[in-house]
Amino acid sequence: MDPLTIEGAYAFTPSVHGDDRGSFHEWFRPDLRDLTGHSFGVAQANCSVSGAGALRGVHFADVPPGQAKYITCVRGAILDVVVDIRVGSPTFGQHEAVRLDAGNRRCLYIAEGLGHAFMALSDDTMVIYLCSTPYAPEREHGVHPLDPDLGIVWPEGVEPVLSAKDAAAPSLAEAQKAGLLPDYRECLDFYRRSS
């Protein structure tokens, strides 16, 4: 498990064991706490199938309880992006992108309070992810993934396709002004209490 530049985000590249039958690898173990310092109980498992250019996010949930995610791509490829939306964080407004695909089998862990988005890079891309809390629409929010202030460089030659909800999401500045974004210190307190 390798920490990314944004606190609370980690990339994991599993060992893949292959032979003439195919391959095998562990993509998740419940000992994330030992590796990240964050407790992670699985409350929901999601599967997303997308066409090339489908852009989902930037999504996040109110903290507490927030929603941590553990993501991998089992078919096709995505550019997965973590955005630090925690007001007061030393990396507030910054992001980090990681390519997840069926070949590299990488996984990404994203702690509560961080924003998450991904773009499918090929048709029929399948992403599976585990969530620490169930989906609750009343505490779910978004930031527009094409907000120029975020500076996310999405792949060239792939036209972004957004849902109506994501297309109507506020910019980072608008979300901050509206009081939608999590507070960095409150997130740190939450991490300590839950680990």
Side-chain angles (χ1 to χ4, degrees):
M1 186 81 48
D2 300 313
L4 300 183
T5 57
I6 294 173
E7 179 185 6
Y10 297 82
F12 172 64
T13 305
S15 297
V16 178
H17 309 281
D19 60 24
D20 58 350
R21 299 169 298 166
S23 68
F24 171 85
H25 71 281
E26 284 184 353
W27 76 276
F28 175 76
R29 293 177 55 116
D31 60 355
L32 269 179
R33 182 173 181 243
D34 297 337
L35 302 170
T36 66
H38 293 248
S39 210
F40 185 81
V42 177
Q44 182 173 318
N46 297 335
C47 178
S48 168
V49 179
S50 303
L55 178 51
R56 301 177 186 270
V58 175
H59 299 149
F60 64 98
D62 291 337
V63 179
Q67 188 181 63
K69 297 176 181 174
Y70 190 79
I71 306 116
T72 194
C73 181
V74 295
R75 186 172 62 225
I78 63 170
L79 183 66
D80 204 313
V81 179
V82 181
V83 181
D84 193 345
I85 55 167
R86 300 167 300 185
V87 176
S89 167
T91 54
F92 176 73
Q94 295 179 26
H95 69 277
E96 186 158 359
V98 177
R99 181 185 169 101
L100 304 180
D101 62 49
N104 69 25
R105 307 235 178 23
R106 293 186 85 189
C107 304
L108 194 62
Y109 169 75
I110 300 171
E112 297 89 349
L114 294 174
H116 176 242
F118 69 84
M119 176 185 271
L121 304 179
S122 58
D123 282 331
D124 204 29
T125 291
M126 183 181 292
V127 176
I128 56 174
Y129 50 105
L130 306 175
C131 302
S132 63
T133 57
Y135 175 71
E138 69 279 2
R139 59 182 177 82
E140 301 289 327
H141 307 285
V143 169
H144 201 292
L146 302 178
D147 178 359
D149 288 340
L150 292 178
I152 300 171
V153 179
W154 297 105
E156 290 184 26
V158 181
E159 186 65 30
V161 180
L162 280 69
S163 69
K165 180 181 172 184
D166 288 345
S171 68
L172 183 66
E174 291 167 340
Q176 183 176 6
K177 186 176 180 182
L180 298 175
L181 303 179
D183 179 80
Y184 178 64
R185 295 212 183 281
E186 289 176 9
C187 287
L188 293 181
D189 288 342
F190 177 77
Y191 303 153
R192 280 192 286 275
R193 285 193 313 270
S194 63
S195 60

PDB file of all heavy atoms in Angstrom, residues 65-103:
ATOM      1  N   PRO A  65     -20.920  10.537   8.863  1.00  0.00           N
ATOM      2  CA  PRO A  65     -19.996   9.421   8.894  1.00  0.00           C
ATOM      3  C   PRO A  65     -19.089   9.345   7.673  1.00  0.00           C
ATOM      4  O   PRO A  65     -18.133   8.593   7.660  1.00  0.00           O
ATOM      5  CB  PRO A  65     -20.923   8.209   8.945  1.00  0.00           C
ATOM      6  CG  PRO A  65     -22.114   8.623   8.150  1.00  0.00           C
ATOM      7  CD  PRO A  65     -22.256  10.106   8.412  1.00  0.00           C
ATOM      8  N   GLY A  66     -19.376  10.125   6.635  1.00  0.00           N
ATOM      9  CA  GLY A  66     -18.557  10.064   5.438  1.00  0.00           C
ATOM     10  C   GLY A  66     -18.739   8.746   4.716  1.00  0.00           C
ATOM     11  O   GLY A  66     -19.606   7.934   5.053  1.00  0.00           O
ATOM     12  N   GLN A  67     -17.911   8.538   3.715  1.00  0.00           N
ATOM     13  CA  GLN A  67     -17.925   7.261   3.008  1.00  0.00           C
ATOM     14  C   GLN A  67     -16.543   7.017   2.421  1.00  0.00           C
ATOM     15  O   GLN A  67     -16.150   7.663   1.455  1.00  0.00           O
ATOM     16  CB  GLN A  67     -18.976   7.238   1.896  1.00  0.00           C
ATOM     17  CG  GLN A  67     -19.153   5.864   1.262  1.00  0.00           C
ATOM     18  CD  GLN A  67     -20.171   5.859   0.138  1.00  0.00           C
ATOM     19  OE1 GLN A  67     -19.975   6.515  -0.874  1.00  0.00           O
ATOM     20  NE2 GLN A  67     -21.251   5.108   0.329  1.00  0.00           N
ATOM     21  N   ALA A  68     -15.793   6.113   3.030  1.00  0.00           N
ATOM     22  CA  ALA A  68     -14.509   5.698   2.481  1.00  0.00           C
ATOM     23  C   ALA A  68     -14.786   4.703   1.357  1.00  0.00           C
ATOM     24  O   ALA A  68     -15.806   4.006   1.375  1.00  0.00           O
ATOM     25  CB  ALA A  68     -13.641   5.064   3.561  1.00  0.00           C
ATOM     26  N   LYS A  69     -13.878   4.636   0.381  1.00  0.00           N
ATOM     27  CA  LYS A  69     -14.059   3.734  -0.756  1.00  0.00           C
ATOM     28  C   LYS A  69     -12.767   2.994  -1.053  1.00  0.00           C
ATOM     29  O   LYS A  69     -11.672   3.537  -0.879  1.00  0.00           O
ATOM     30  CB  LYS A  69     -14.484   4.522  -2.009  1.00  0.00           C
ATOM     31  CG  LYS A  69     -15.820   5.207  -1.863  1.00  0.00           C
ATOM     32  CD  LYS A  69     -16.151   6.043  -3.081  1.00  0.00           C
ATOM     33  CE  LYS A  69     -17.494   6.749  -2.879  1.00  0.00           C
ATOM     34  NZ  LYS A  69     -17.784   7.683  -3.967  1.00  0.00           N
ATOM     35  N   TYR A  70     -12.930   1.772  -1.529  1.00  0.00           N
ATOM     36  CA  TYR A  70     -11.809   0.951  -2.002  1.00  0.00           C
ATOM     37  C   TYR A  70     -12.195   0.487  -3.404  1.00  0.00           C
ATOM     38  O   TYR A  70     -13.168  -0.249  -3.569  1.00  0.00           O
ATOM     39  CB  TYR A  70     -11.592  -0.235  -1.056  1.00  0.00           C
ATOM     40  CG  TYR A  70     -10.323  -0.994  -1.325  1.00  0.00           C
ATOM     41  CD1 TYR A  70      -9.098  -0.514  -0.876  1.00  0.00           C
ATOM     42  CD2 TYR A  70     -10.352  -2.194  -2.028  1.00  0.00           C
ATOM     43  CE1 TYR A  70      -7.927  -1.230  -1.121  1.00  0.00           C
ATOM     44  CE2 TYR A  70      -9.185  -2.899  -2.271  1.00  0.00           C
ATOM     45  CZ  TYR A  70      -7.977  -2.411  -1.813  1.00  0.00           C
ATOM     46  OH  TYR A  70      -6.816  -3.108  -2.060  1.00  0.00           O
ATOM     47  N   ILE A  71     -11.455   0.964  -4.412  1.00  0.00           N
ATOM     48  CA  ILE A  71     -11.879   0.862  -5.806  1.00  0.00           C
ATOM     49  C   ILE A  71     -10.887   0.048  -6.629  1.00  0.00           C
ATOM     50  O   ILE A  71      -9.674   0.163  -6.446  1.00  0.00           O
ATOM     51  CB  ILE A  71     -11.959   2.283  -6.428  1.00  0.00           C
ATOM     52  CG1 ILE A  71     -12.850   3.184  -5.596  1.00  0.00           C
ATOM     53  CG2 ILE A  71     -12.399   2.249  -7.873  1.00  0.00           C
ATOM     54  CD1 ILE A  71     -12.126   4.329  -4.984  1.00  0.00           C
ATOM     55  N   THR A  72     -11.411  -0.725  -7.587  1.00  0.00           N
ATOM     56  CA  THR A  72     -10.568  -1.372  -8.585  1.00  0.00           C
ATOM     57  C   THR A  72     -11.351  -1.469  -9.894  1.00  0.00           C
ATOM     58  O   THR A  72     -12.582  -1.381  -9.905  1.00  0.00           O
ATOM     59  CB  THR A  72     -10.061  -2.759  -8.121  1.00  0.00           C
ATOM     60  OG1 THR A  72      -9.004  -3.181  -8.980  1.00  0.00           O
ATOM     61  CG2 THR A  72     -11.167  -3.788  -8.098  1.00  0.00           C
ATOM     62  N   CYS A  73     -10.629  -1.634 -10.977  1.00  0.00           N
ATOM     63  CA  CYS A  73     -11.226  -1.745 -12.305  1.00  0.00           C
ATOM     64  C   CYS A  73     -10.984  -3.166 -12.802  1.00  0.00           C
ATOM     65  O   CYS A  73      -9.836  -3.586 -12.938  1.00  0.00           O
ATOM     66  CB  CYS A  73     -10.587  -0.726 -13.246  1.00  0.00           C
ATOM     67  SG  CYS A  73     -11.261  -0.756 -14.915  1.00  0.00           S
ATOM     68  N   VAL A  74     -12.046  -3.925 -13.033  1.00  0.00           N
ATOM     69  CA  VAL A  74     -11.910  -5.335 -13.413  1.00  0.00           C
ATOM     70  C   VAL A  74     -12.062  -5.570 -14.910  1.00  0.00           C
ATOM     71  O   VAL A  74     -11.747  -6.661 -15.401  1.00  0.00           O
ATOM     72  CB  VAL A  74     -12.893  -6.232 -12.629  1.00  0.00           C
ATOM     73  CG1 VAL A  74     -12.547  -6.222 -11.145  1.00  0.00           C
ATOM     74  CG2 VAL A  74     -14.336  -5.825 -12.853  1.00  0.00           C
ATOM     75  N   ARG A  75     -12.538  -4.551 -15.645  1.00  0.00           N
ATOM     76  CA  ARG A  75     -12.616  -4.665 -17.105  1.00  0.00           C
ATOM     77  C   ARG A  75     -12.451  -3.268 -17.691  1.00  0.00           C
ATOM     78  O   ARG A  75     -13.060  -2.308 -17.215  1.00  0.00           O
ATOM     79  CB  ARG A  75     -13.956  -5.259 -17.531  1.00  0.00           C
ATOM     80  CG  ARG A  75     -14.050  -5.534 -19.029  1.00  0.00           C
ATOM     81  CD  ARG A  75     -15.298  -6.285 -19.429  1.00  0.00           C
ATOM     82  NE  ARG A  75     -16.499  -5.529 -19.112  1.00  0.00           N
ATOM     83  CZ  ARG A  75     -17.579  -6.060 -18.522  1.00  0.00           C
ATOM     84  NH1 ARG A  75     -17.611  -7.331 -18.173  1.00  0.00           N
ATOM     85  NH2 ARG A  75     -18.643  -5.313 -18.285  1.00  0.00           N
ATOM     86  N   GLY A  76     -11.605  -3.156 -18.703  1.00  0.00           N
ATOM     87  CA  GLY A  76     -11.362  -1.853 -19.310  1.00  0.00           C
ATOM     88  C   GLY A  76     -10.346  -1.056 -18.514  1.00  0.00           C
ATOM     89  O   GLY A  76      -9.428  -1.618 -17.909  1.00  0.00           O
ATOM     90  N   ALA A  77     -10.529   0.276 -18.493  1.00  0.00           N
ATOM     91  CA  ALA A  77      -9.569   1.163 -17.826  1.00  0.00           C
ATOM     92  C   ALA A  77     -10.256   2.455 -17.415  1.00  0.00           C
ATOM     93  O   ALA A  77     -11.171   2.925 -18.094  1.00  0.00           O
ATOM     94  CB  ALA A  77      -8.400   1.467 -18.758  1.00  0.00           C
ATOM     95  N   ILE A  78      -9.779   3.027 -16.308  1.00  0.00           N
ATOM     96  CA  ILE A  78     -10.272   4.327 -15.849  1.00  0.00           C
ATOM     97  C   ILE A  78      -9.104   5.201 -15.410  1.00  0.00           C
ATOM     98  O   ILE A  78      -8.033   4.698 -15.055  1.00  0.00           O
ATOM     99  CB  ILE A  78     -11.267   4.220 -14.666  1.00  0.00           C
ATOM    100  CG1 ILE A  78     -10.607   3.615 -13.414  1.00  0.00           C
ATOM    101  CG2 ILE A  78     -12.505   3.452 -15.064  1.00  0.00           C
ATOM    102  CD1 ILE A  78     -11.464   3.695 -12.150  1.00  0.00           C
ATOM    103  N   LEU A  79      -9.332   6.494 -15.456  1.00  0.00           N
ATOM    104  CA  LEU A  79      -8.472   7.434 -14.769  1.00  0.00           C
ATOM    105  C   LEU A  79      -9.227   7.780 -13.498  1.00  0.00           C
ATOM    106  O   LEU A  79     -10.299   8.394 -13.553  1.00  0.00           O
ATOM    107  CB  LEU A  79      -8.199   8.684 -15.603  1.00  0.00           C
ATOM    108  CG  LEU A  79      -7.231   9.666 -14.950  1.00  0.00           C
ATOM    109  CD1 LEU A  79      -5.830   9.048 -14.851  1.00  0.00           C
ATOM    110  CD2 LEU A  79      -7.183  10.974 -15.710  1.00  0.00           C
ATOM    111  N   ASP A  80      -8.709   7.347 -12.360  1.00  0.00           N
ATOM    112  CA  ASP A  80      -9.359   7.555 -11.072  1.00  0.00           C
ATOM    113  C   ASP A  80      -8.709   8.751 -10.400  1.00  0.00           C
ATOM    114  O   ASP A  80      -7.477   8.857 -10.370  1.00  0.00           O
ATOM    115  CB  ASP A  80      -9.204   6.297 -10.211  1.00  0.00           C
ATOM    116  CG  ASP A  80     -10.286   6.178  -9.164  1.00  0.00           C
ATOM    117  OD1 ASP A  80     -10.557   7.178  -8.472  1.00  0.00           O
ATOM    118  OD2 ASP A  80     -10.857   5.092  -9.024  1.00  0.00           O
ATOM    119  N   VAL A  81      -9.527   9.651  -9.871  1.00  0.00           N
ATOM    120  CA  VAL A  81      -9.012  10.903  -9.325  1.00  0.00           C
ATOM    121  C   VAL A  81      -9.511  11.112  -7.899  1.00  0.00           C
ATOM    122  O   VAL A  81     -10.700  10.997  -7.623  1.00  0.00           O
ATOM    123  CB  VAL A  81      -9.434  12.101 -10.210  1.00  0.00           C
ATOM    124  CG1 VAL A  81      -8.927  13.413  -9.624  1.00  0.00           C
ATOM    125  CG2 VAL A  81      -8.920  11.923 -11.631  1.00  0.00           C
ATOM    126  N   VAL A  82      -8.563  11.423  -7.014  1.00  0.00           N
ATOM    127  CA  VAL A  82      -8.853  11.792  -5.627  1.00  0.00           C
ATOM    128  C   VAL A  82      -8.684  13.299  -5.533  1.00  0.00           C
ATOM    129  O   VAL A  82      -7.672  13.843  -5.993  1.00  0.00           O
ATOM    130  CB  VAL A  82      -7.867  11.123  -4.644  1.00  0.00           C
ATOM    131  CG1 VAL A  82      -8.201  11.499  -3.213  1.00  0.00           C
ATOM    132  CG2 VAL A  82      -7.822   9.638  -4.830  1.00  0.00           C
ATOM    133  N   VAL A  83      -9.671  13.984  -4.946  1.00  0.00           N
ATOM    134  CA  VAL A  83      -9.603  15.441  -4.788  1.00  0.00           C
ATOM    135  C   VAL A  83      -9.711  15.762  -3.302  1.00  0.00           C
ATOM    136  O   VAL A  83     -10.620  15.286  -2.625  1.00  0.00           O
ATOM    137  CB  VAL A  83     -10.747  16.147  -5.562  1.00  0.00           C
ATOM    138  CG1 VAL A  83     -10.626  17.656  -5.401  1.00  0.00           C
ATOM    139  CG2 VAL A  83     -10.732  15.761  -7.030  1.00  0.00           C
ATOM    140  N   ASP A  84      -8.771  16.563  -2.813  1.00  0.00           N
ATOM    141  CA  ASP A  84      -8.840  16.978  -1.409  1.00  0.00           C
ATOM    142  C   ASP A  84      -9.783  18.165  -1.305  1.00  0.00           C
ATOM    143  O   ASP A  84      -9.447  19.282  -1.697  1.00  0.00           O
ATOM    144  CB  ASP A  84      -7.464  17.336  -0.866  1.00  0.00           C
ATOM    145  CG  ASP A  84      -7.465  17.452   0.645  1.00  0.00           C
ATOM    146  OD1 ASP A  84      -8.564  17.537   1.243  1.00  0.00           O
ATOM    147  OD2 ASP A  84      -6.374  17.453   1.247  1.00  0.00           O
ATOM    148  N   ILE A  85     -10.968  17.896  -0.792  1.00  0.00           N
ATOM    149  CA  ILE A  85     -11.998  18.932  -0.646  1.00  0.00           C
ATOM    150  C   ILE A  85     -12.174  19.325   0.820  1.00  0.00           C
ATOM    151  O   ILE A  85     -13.123  20.029   1.160  1.00  0.00           O
ATOM    152  CB  ILE A  85     -13.336  18.444  -1.236  1.00  0.00           C
ATOM    153  CG1 ILE A  85     -13.742  17.124  -0.591  1.00  0.00           C
ATOM    154  CG2 ILE A  85     -13.243  18.317  -2.752  1.00  0.00           C
ATOM    155  CD1 ILE A  85     -15.155  16.709  -0.859  1.00  0.00           C
ATOM    156  N   ARG A  86     -11.251  18.879   1.689  1.00  0.00           N
ATOM    157  CA  ARG A  86     -11.349  19.159   3.126  1.00  0.00           C
ATOM    158  C   ARG A  86     -10.836  20.572   3.402  1.00  0.00           C
ATOM    159  O   ARG A  86      -9.632  20.832   3.287  1.00  0.00           O
ATOM    160  CB  ARG A  86     -10.562  18.124   3.917  1.00  0.00           C
ATOM    161  CG  ARG A  86     -11.054  16.700   3.691  1.00  0.00           C
ATOM    162  CD  ARG A  86     -10.097  15.668   4.224  1.00  0.00           C
ATOM    163  NE  ARG A  86      -8.801  15.793   3.552  1.00  0.00           N
ATOM    164  CZ  ARG A  86      -7.782  14.956   3.741  1.00  0.00           C
ATOM    165  NH1 ARG A  86      -7.898  13.951   4.582  1.00  0.00           N
ATOM    166  NH2 ARG A  86      -6.649  15.150   3.096  1.00  0.00           N
ATOM    167  N   VAL A  87     -11.743  21.456   3.763  1.00  0.00           N
ATOM    168  CA  VAL A  87     -11.380  22.851   4.025  1.00  0.00           C
ATOM    169  C   VAL A  87     -10.384  22.906   5.184  1.00  0.00           C
ATOM    170  O   VAL A  87     -10.617  22.331   6.241  1.00  0.00           O
ATOM    171  CB  VAL A  87     -12.642  23.694   4.354  1.00  0.00           C
ATOM    172  CG1 VAL A  87     -12.262  25.119   4.710  1.00  0.00           C
ATOM    173  CG2 VAL A  87     -13.616  23.655   3.180  1.00  0.00           C
ATOM    174  N   GLY A  88      -9.254  23.579   4.951  1.00  0.00           N
ATOM    175  CA  GLY A  88      -8.208  23.684   5.964  1.00  0.00           C
ATOM    176  C   GLY A  88      -7.087  22.683   5.776  1.00  0.00           C
ATOM    177  O   GLY A  88      -6.059  22.765   6.450  1.00  0.00           O
ATOM    178  N   SER A  89      -7.227  21.741   4.873  1.00  0.00           N
ATOM    179  CA  SER A  89      -6.177  20.757   4.614  1.00  0.00           C
ATOM    180  C   SER A  89      -5.001  21.426   3.905  1.00  0.00           C
ATOM    181  O   SER A  89      -5.200  22.319   3.074  1.00  0.00           O
ATOM    182  CB  SER A  89      -6.719  19.629   3.727  1.00  0.00           C
ATOM    183  OG  SER A  89      -5.665  18.833   3.221  1.00  0.00           O
ATOM    184  N   PRO A  90      -3.775  20.987   4.184  1.00  0.00           N
ATOM    185  CA  PRO A  90      -2.621  21.557   3.483  1.00  0.00           C
ATOM    186  C   PRO A  90      -2.663  21.299   1.974  1.00  0.00           C
ATOM    187  O   PRO A  90      -2.013  22.012   1.214  1.00  0.00           O
ATOM    188  CB  PRO A  90      -1.410  20.865   4.110  1.00  0.00           C
ATOM    189  CG  PRO A  90      -1.903  20.032   5.225  1.00  0.00           C
ATOM    190  CD  PRO A  90      -3.397  20.034   5.220  1.00  0.00           C
ATOM    191  N   THR A  91      -3.436  20.307   1.541  1.00  0.00           N
ATOM    192  CA  THR A  91      -3.533  20.014   0.105  1.00  0.00           C
ATOM    193  C   THR A  91      -4.942  20.315  -0.431  1.00  0.00           C
ATOM    194  O   THR A  91      -5.347  19.756  -1.454  1.00  0.00           O
ATOM    195  CB  THR A  91      -3.135  18.545  -0.193  1.00  0.00           C
ATOM    196  OG1 THR A  91      -3.931  17.662   0.620  1.00  0.00           O
ATOM    197  CG2 THR A  91      -1.667  18.302   0.068  1.00  0.00           C
ATOM    198  N   PHE A  92      -5.666  21.217   0.233  1.00  0.00           N
ATOM    199  CA  PHE A  92      -7.022  21.565  -0.189  1.00  0.00           C
ATOM    200  C   PHE A  92      -7.030  21.994  -1.658  1.00  0.00           C
ATOM    201  O   PHE A  92      -6.208  22.792  -2.101  1.00  0.00           O
ATOM    202  CB  PHE A  92      -7.587  22.697   0.672  1.00  0.00           C
ATOM    203  CG  PHE A  92      -8.937  23.177   0.226  1.00  0.00           C
ATOM    204  CD1 PHE A  92     -10.069  22.396   0.448  1.00  0.00           C
ATOM    205  CD2 PHE A  92      -9.085  24.384  -0.441  1.00  0.00           C
ATOM    206  CE1 PHE A  92     -11.332  22.822   0.028  1.00  0.00           C
ATOM    207  CE2 PHE A  92     -10.340  24.821  -0.856  1.00  0.00           C
ATOM    208  CZ  PHE A  92     -11.455  24.030  -0.619  1.00  0.00           C
ATOM    209  N   GLY A  93      -7.979  21.437  -2.415  1.00  0.00           N
ATOM    210  CA  GLY A  93      -8.132  21.786  -3.821  1.00  0.00           C
ATOM    211  C   GLY A  93      -7.201  21.038  -4.756  1.00  0.00           C
ATOM    212  O   GLY A  93      -7.326  21.150  -5.971  1.00  0.00           O
ATOM    213  N   GLN A  94      -6.281  20.266  -4.201  1.00  0.00           N
ATOM    214  CA  GLN A  94      -5.359  19.495  -5.045  1.00  0.00           C
ATOM    215  C   GLN A  94      -5.958  18.127  -5.346  1.00  0.00           C
ATOM    216  O   GLN A  94      -6.866  17.665  -4.662  1.00  0.00           O
ATOM    217  CB  GLN A  94      -4.006  19.348  -4.355  1.00  0.00           C
ATOM    218  CG  GLN A  94      -3.289  20.669  -4.164  1.00  0.00           C
ATOM    219  CD  GLN A  94      -1.951  20.505  -3.462  1.00  0.00           C
ATOM    220  OE1 GLN A  94      -1.313  19.457  -3.521  1.00  0.00           O
ATOM    221  NE2 GLN A  94      -1.522  21.555  -2.780  1.00  0.00           N
ATOM    222  N   HIS A  95      -5.424  17.497  -6.375  1.00  0.00           N
ATOM    223  CA  HIS A  95      -5.911  16.175  -6.761  1.00  0.00           C
ATOM    224  C   HIS A  95      -4.740  15.292  -7.164  1.00  0.00           C
ATOM    225  O   HIS A  95      -3.628  15.782  -7.400  1.00  0.00           O
ATOM    226  CB  HIS A  95      -6.915  16.289  -7.922  1.00  0.00           C
ATOM    227  CG  HIS A  95      -6.268  16.705  -9.209  1.00  0.00           C
ATOM    228  ND1 HIS A  95      -6.007  18.018  -9.509  1.00  0.00           N
ATOM    229  CD2 HIS A  95      -5.813  15.973 -10.253  1.00  0.00           C
ATOM    230  CE1 HIS A  95      -5.433  18.087 -10.690  1.00  0.00           C
ATOM    231  NE2 HIS A  95      -5.299  16.851 -11.168  1.00  0.00           N
ATOM    232  N   GLU A  96      -5.025  14.021  -7.224  1.00  0.00           N
ATOM    233  CA  GLU A  96      -4.048  13.062  -7.738  1.00  0.00           C
ATOM    234  C   GLU A  96      -4.806  12.032  -8.560  1.00  0.00           C
ATOM    235  O   GLU A  96      -5.873  11.570  -8.161  1.00  0.00           O
ATOM    236  CB  GLU A  96      -3.275  12.379  -6.609  1.00  0.00           C
ATOM    237  CG  GLU A  96      -2.166  11.510  -7.145  1.00  0.00           C
ATOM    238  CD  GLU A  96      -1.048  11.235  -6.155  1.00  0.00           C
ATOM    239  OE1 GLU A  96      -1.093  11.739  -5.024  1.00  0.00           O
ATOM    240  OE2 GLU A  96      -0.132  10.495  -6.533  1.00  0.00           O
ATOM    241  N   ALA A  97      -4.249  11.714  -9.717  1.00  0.00           N
ATOM    242  CA  ALA A  97      -4.878  10.766 -10.641  1.00  0.00           C
ATOM    243  C   ALA A  97      -4.074   9.474 -10.694  1.00  0.00           C
ATOM    244  O   ALA A  97      -2.841   9.499 -10.705  1.00  0.00           O
ATOM    245  CB  ALA A  97      -4.982  11.388 -12.032  1.00  0.00           C
ATOM    246  N   VAL A  98      -4.789   8.353 -10.722  1.00  0.00           N
ATOM    247  CA  VAL A  98      -4.172   7.027 -10.793  1.00  0.00           C
ATOM    248  C   VAL A  98      -4.921   6.233 -11.859  1.00  0.00           C
ATOM    249  O   VAL A  98      -6.157   6.189 -11.843  1.00  0.00           O
ATOM    250  CB  VAL A  98      -4.270   6.295  -9.433  1.00  0.00           C
ATOM    251  CG1 VAL A  98      -3.700   4.895  -9.521  1.00  0.00           C
ATOM    252  CG2 VAL A  98      -3.582   7.094  -8.335  1.00  0.00           C
ATOM    253  N   ARG A  99      -4.181   5.615 -12.755  1.00  0.00           N
ATOM    254  CA  ARG A  99      -4.826   4.754 -13.761  1.00  0.00           C
ATOM    255  C   ARG A  99      -5.071   3.393 -13.126  1.00  0.00           C
ATOM    256  O   ARG A  99      -4.167   2.772 -12.561  1.00  0.00           O
ATOM    257  CB  ARG A  99      -3.939   4.600 -14.997  1.00  0.00           C
ATOM    258  CG  ARG A  99      -4.589   3.734 -16.077  1.00  0.00           C
ATOM    259  CD  ARG A  99      -3.642   3.493 -17.254  1.00  0.00           C
ATOM    260  NE  ARG A  99      -4.154   2.477 -18.136  1.00  0.00           N
ATOM    261  CZ  ARG A  99      -4.777   2.712 -19.284  1.00  0.00           C
ATOM    262  NH1 ARG A  99      -4.963   3.959 -19.689  1.00  0.00           N
ATOM    263  NH2 ARG A  99      -5.217   1.713 -20.035  1.00  0.00           N
ATOM    264  N   LEU A 100      -6.323   2.957 -13.203  1.00  0.00           N
ATOM    265  CA  LEU A 100      -6.694   1.615 -12.765  1.00  0.00           C
ATOM    266  C   LEU A 100      -7.203   0.884 -13.999  1.00  0.00           C
ATOM    267  O   LEU A 100      -8.020   1.423 -14.751  1.00  0.00           O
ATOM    268  CB  LEU A 100      -7.811   1.660 -11.713  1.00  0.00           C
ATOM    269  CG  LEU A 100      -7.586   2.493 -10.444  1.00  0.00           C
ATOM    270  CD1 LEU A 100      -8.811   2.411  -9.542  1.00  0.00           C
ATOM    271  CD2 LEU A 100      -6.347   2.044  -9.704  1.00  0.00           C
ATOM    272  N   ASP A 101      -6.720  -0.334 -14.225  1.00  0.00           N
ATOM    273  CA  ASP A 101      -7.199  -1.083 -15.377  1.00  0.00           C
ATOM    274  C   ASP A 101      -7.120  -2.576 -15.111  1.00  0.00           C
ATOM    275  O   ASP A 101      -6.529  -3.020 -14.118  1.00  0.00           O
ATOM    276  CB  ASP A 101      -6.467  -0.686 -16.663  1.00  0.00           C
ATOM    277  CG  ASP A 101      -4.975  -0.956 -16.643  1.00  0.00           C
ATOM    278  OD1 ASP A 101      -4.560  -2.070 -16.272  1.00  0.00           O
ATOM    279  OD2 ASP A 101      -4.225  -0.049 -17.038  1.00  0.00           O
ATOM    280  N   ALA A 102      -7.726  -3.333 -16.005  1.00  0.00           N
ATOM    281  CA  ALA A 102      -7.794  -4.784 -15.842  1.00  0.00           C
ATOM    282  C   ALA A 102      -6.420  -5.424 -15.955  1.00  0.00           C
ATOM    283  O   ALA A 102      -6.223  -6.547 -15.489  1.00  0.00           O
ATOM    284  CB  ALA A 102      -8.740  -5.379 -16.874  1.00  0.00           C
ATOM    285  N   GLY A 103      -5.460  -4.729 -16.543  1.00  0.00           N
ATOM    286  CA  GLY A 103      -4.111  -5.271 -16.666  1.00  0.00           C
ATOM    287  C   GLY A 103      -3.250  -5.019 -15.442  1.00  0.00           C
ATOM    288  O   GLY A 103      -2.571  -5.922 -14.951  1.00  0.00           O
TER     289      GLY A 103
END
